[in-house]
Amino acid sequence: IWTLKAPKVEGVKQAVSECLYFKNIEKIEYILESVSSDISDMPLSIEDTMTGAKNRAQNVRKKWVIADYYVGIEWGTTDILGTKYIGGIIYIENHLWEWHFGFSPMIEVPKKVEKMLYDDGLELGPVMSELSGITNIQSQNGSMWAWSDDMFTRQDEFCDAFKAAIAPFYNTFYKL
């Protein structure tokens, strides 16, 4: 897993523990490392967010880390029909170079935050610290948690995104 942020790591671990594909594996080892996404710290499109997730997984692979799966995680915003949304994306690549993306639920970005991100060019972490008084919110439960009244945590988001990305590796519909 190519992040050191606890909610992202715990989301992947939760998904693996709930995933039937891994039930018969006795030992699963997680290698945690922070690598560059090679994109902006605040992705403002779904394409940039996907690219960042993919780059993280591939950048660690370039370091010659041997693994069955390389998991890149990124979080960002996108514009859909004139409304800004935010969510997480996971990219998983296996040792055979097969790859798939998975997406978390998305939530609408509040207008004040949207202005600060898109018009003022600020990053979400400092914006949320200023508006909420919660420092380092991205390493805790995240903005979606704050905006959803605790219905979605960062761990929940990345658990769902991982499940969506791992299914095509195993589900027979993807092999038809």
Side-chain angles (χ1 to χ4, degrees):
I1 305 172
W2 318 117
T3 183
L4 299 177
K5 291 195 167 93
K8 292 178 179 181
V9 171
E10 293 308 313
V12 170
K13 287 182 176 181
Q14 177 185 339
V16 168
S17 74
E18 295 173 2
C19 188
L20 63 100
Y21 307 126
F22 301 107
K23 290 292 184 205
N24 294 325
I25 296 175
E26 290 181 28
K27 182 182 177 200
I28 296 174
E29 182 180 352
Y30 296 91
I31 302 167
L32 308 179
E33 188 167 334
S34 181
V35 294
S36 175
S37 67
D38 298 329
I39 62 164
S40 162
D41 287 339
M42 186 64 244
L44 298 178
S45 72
I46 201 162
E47 293 85 357
D48 284 349
T49 308
M50 291 172 76
T51 299
K54 184 176 183 176
N55 287 349
R56 288 187 192 280
Q58 292 181 338
N59 282 343
V60 81
R61 191 171 196 153
K62 289 176 187 174
K63 290 183 165 195
W64 299 103
V65 173
I66 305 300
D68 291 321
Y69 295 99
Y70 302 86
V71 180
I73 302 173
E74 194 64 53
W75 208 63
T77 65
T78 196
D79 183 300
I80 301 173
L81 300 174
T83 301
K84 306 301 190 274
Y85 293 90
I86 198 159
I89 296 178
I90 286 188
Y91 170 89
I92 302 175
E93 184 173 290
N94 70 11
H95 62 286
L96 300 173
W97 303 92
E98 179 184 359
W99 55 268
H100 300 283
F101 285 99
F103 298 78
S104 77
M106 291 193 288
I107 194 168
E108 210 173 300
V109 176
K111 293 298 180 197
K112 173 129 179 110
V113 176
E114 177 185 321
K115 181 189 175 313
M116 295 172 86
L117 298 179
Y118 283 81
D119 296 343
D120 302 339
L122 301 174
E123 258 186 74
L124 184 59
V127 166
M128 286 303 293
S129 291
E130 177 186 326
L131 296 176
S132 70
I134 301 170
T135 57
N136 202 18
I137 196 169
Q138 67 273 24
S139 293
Q140 298 174 40
N141 277 329
S143 299
M144 192 180 288
W145 161 81
W147 301 339
S148 72
D149 292 324
D150 199 22
M151 287 189 280
F152 295 106
T153 66
R154 280 178 74 82
Q155 182 172 331
D156 296 333
E157 293 171 58
F158 292 109
C159 178
D160 290 346
F162 181 89
K163 289 176 185 179
I166 200 68
F169 286 98
Y170 294 95
N171 185 282
T172 56
F173 280 99
Y174 295 93
K175 308 299 182 215
L176 295 176

